[in-house]
Amino acid sequence: MRTVGLSHEDFQHLNERLSHYLEEQKAHNPLTRRGRKDSKLILEDRLLLTLYYLRHYPTLINLGAVFGISESYCHKIYARTARMLAKIEKLPNRKALLEDAAATVVIDVSEQPIERPVKNQKAYYSGKKTPHGQGSAGDLCVDAGNPLPGGRKRPPA
């Protein structure tokens, strides 16, 4: 559950749907597999690789080392399996996502305080008592109708 975000039953169900999809594709187009060798990884491992990558985003070199395959083959398996999962789950494609415009996007860029060393902190401390940029953060507005919490509304133009 913690490794890929799915319970064992959900993983098995998704694996069955993926294998059923692959069987349908083979029956529909039997010549597409002509001349191709079978994958070095079984279907469960390919699904596990894809879900693990989507959950943790390790580098493909590290992921390939875990599964005993090369970086390029790891990317190839991930790309194919992710495309199949998107078809199985009927996820919207990239074009459909780009057509739906977002109403408002807010990005938190506030500064986070850091710990300074106890000894020799003179090199890390400017002498100011308030952190940089702390005073103006409350005045930010997203737009005239939706100010940030604690912020002031902009005067109408």
Side-chain angles (χ1 to χ4, degrees), residues 1-6 11 14 18 41 43-69 74 77-79 81-82 85:
M1 177 72 154
R2 292 174 61 194
T3 305
V4 294
L6 293 175
F11 181 82
L14 191 58
L18 191 61
L41 296 177
L43 184 60
E44 286 180 338
D45 286 344
R46 288 185 276 167
L47 180 60
L48 181 65
L49 181 144
T50 303
L51 294 174
Y52 188 83
Y53 180 79
L54 291 172
R55 173 87 174 191
H56 299 284
Y57 291 111
T59 60
L60 292 174
I61 293 173
N62 291 341
L63 192 58
V66 169
F67 285 90
I69 57 177
C74 184
I77 288 175
Y78 162 72
T81 310
L85 287 175

Side-chain angles (χ1 to χ4, degrees), residues 43 95 98 115 127-128 141 150:
L43 184 60
K95 187 176 180 180
L98 290 174
E115 286 187 37
K128 295 180 182 177
C141 293

Side-chain angles (χ1 to χ4, degrees), residues 13-155:
H13 177 71
L14 191 58
N15 188 40
E16 289 171 9
R17 289 181 64 191
L18 191 61
S19 65
H20 181 67
Y21 174 78
L22 286 173
E23 288 172 7
E24 283 180 357
Q25 292 299 315
K26 284 180 186 178
H28 188 274
N29 292 329
L31 295 178
T32 57
R33 298 284 305 166
R34 182 179 51 187
R36 249 191 242 172
K37 295 179 182 177
D38 286 335
S39 177
K40 293 179 184 176
L41 296 177
I42 61 173
L43 184 60
E44 286 180 338
D45 286 344
R46 288 185 276 167
L47 180 60
L48 181 65
L49 181 144
T50 303
L51 294 174
Y52 188 83
Y53 180 79
L54 291 172
R55 173 87 174 191
H56 299 284
Y57 291 111
T59 60
L60 292 174
I61 293 173
N62 291 341
L63 192 58
V66 169
F67 285 90
I69 57 177
S70 68
E71 175 186 8
S72 60
Y73 190 59
C74 184
H75 180 266
K76 186 177 186 179
I77 288 175
Y78 162 72
R80 283 184 181 170
T81 310
R83 265 187 271 123
M84 286 188 283
L85 287 175
K87 288 179 183 177
I88 289 172
E89 294 297 323
K90 306 214 181 346
L91 298 175
N93 61 11
R94 184 178 292 180
K95 187 176 180 180
L97 291 174
L98 290 174
E99 289 174 356
D100 185 24
T104 304
V105 176
V106 177
I107 301 173
D108 181 16
V109 294
S110 58
E111 293 184 13
Q112 300 294 321
I114 60 169
E115 286 187 37
R116 292 190 306 262
V118 177
K119 296 179 182 178
N120 299 328
Q121 71 170 320
K122 201 71 157 159
Y124 300 97
Y125 185 60
S126 66
K128 295 180 182 177
K129 293 184 179 181
T130 56
H132 173 69
Q134 188 177 16
S136 63
D139 297 335
L140 295 176
C141 293
V142 175
D143 60 22
N146 298 314
L148 291 175
R152 297 186 310 241
K153 286 189 178 181
R154 289 184 186 159

